[in-house]
Amino acid sequence: MTSRRPLIAGNWKMNGLTADGSSLASGLAEKMTAAGDVFFEMLVCPPFTLISKIADCLGGSGIALGAQDCHANEKGAHTGDISAAMLKDAGCAYVIVGHSERRTDHGESNETVRDKAAAVHAAGLGAVICIGETEAERDAGQTLDVNKAQIAGSLPEGATAANTVIAYEPVWAIGTGRTPTNDEVQDVHAFIRGELAGHLGESEAAAMRILYGGSMKPGNAKELLALADVDGGLIGGASLTVEDFWGIAESV
Ligand code: PGA
């Protein structure tokens, strides 16, 4: 038996203005408050512009707040960037780092992701480190090798089950409506846990949460979340409505 508490995390990406972001967060806060004690942990990661506003909307609901990225430095001459310390100051408990859209659109390497994760830890926040293979890599039979290399390269020193969550997101499953089979998801998650054990030791690896991400919806969440090494979800599209996101959380 493990004591890993499932994490249901919403990645809003570049979506949300004040009105719709506030109503989404307030709707979730209402559901959470009405639900009382729940087994899962819920996290929402709005765009930077809404973080302070959403912190107010979430209030004392117990839903955690996170950001989608940060800079690796604490402060300084980095126009347009945001540090982990600033995110903590704004009310965040988590920061997503190394999402495939950052790796692709902003050329982020494993080393960049590792430095950002280290900055998240230094600020006292939890890092959600994303990994996952592309479709071409999958077709070439490189799924495990790619994930192995991303773990080795992106995991900072000092990572523990308390300050780090891994999100396995096959790039080809993000926003496409396609997902690997349940067996494939479980196999990759078990492999990732084995790799984590090699880096961090058995007990940290056994306690670390590994989320699945990529076209998770209310309709497929239950079976994905029931897999032995799946400890929650990182959800994009379906985190943008109360009905879908709460529906996923309820299926834990
Ligand atoms: P999706 O995105 O749920 O829309 O596929 C997941 C993600 O990119 O984190």
Side-chain angles (χ1 to χ4, degrees), residues 131-216:
I131 59 172
E133 79 287 353
T134 63
E135 182 150 40
E137 290 162 344
R138 170 182 156 95
D139 290 346
Q142 296 166 348
T143 296
L144 299 184
D145 287 345
V146 167
N147 284 287
K148 179 188 175 91
Q150 287 184 345
I151 291 166
S154 308
L155 202 63
E157 251 179 67
T160 66
N163 66 18
T164 303
V165 174
I166 304 294
Y168 168 57
E169 301 202 299
V171 178
W172 53 274
I174 295 177
T176 59
R178 298 163 58 206
T179 57
T181 65
N182 294 337
D183 285 351
E184 286 169 337
V185 171
Q186 170 54 27
D187 285 352
V188 178
H189 278 237
F191 174 80
I192 290 169
R193 200 173 302 285
E195 288 300 305
L196 292 172
H199 292 286
L200 309 172
E202 290 287 345
S203 71
E204 287 302 321
M208 190 171 283
R209 293 178 291 184
I210 306 173
L211 313 184
Y212 169 77
S215 296
M216 189 181 276

Side-chain angles (χ1 to χ4, degrees), residues 21-39:
S22 304
S23 92
L24 173 53
S26 301
L28 291 169
E30 260 172 47
K31 290 273 193 198
M32 195 67 157
T33 305
D37 266 353
V38 292
F39 176 55

Side-chain angles (χ1 to χ4, degrees), residues 11 13 99 101 169 173-175 214-216 234-237:
N11 173 12
K13 308 193 179 185
H99 189 281
E101 287 151 16
E169 301 202 299
I174 295 177
S215 296
M216 189 181 276
L234 181 56
I235 298 127

Side-chain angles (χ1 to χ4, degrees), residues 76-77 221 239 245 248:
S239 73
F245 195 51
I248 290 172

Side-chain angles (χ1 to χ4, degrees), residues 221-246:
K222 196 173 178 125
E223 52 193 69
L224 288 164
L225 295 169
L227 298 170
D229 284 291
V230 173
D231 308 309
L234 181 56
I235 298 127
S239 73
L240 296 176
T241 68
V242 174
E243 195 186 5
D244 282 353
F245 195 51
W246 190 260

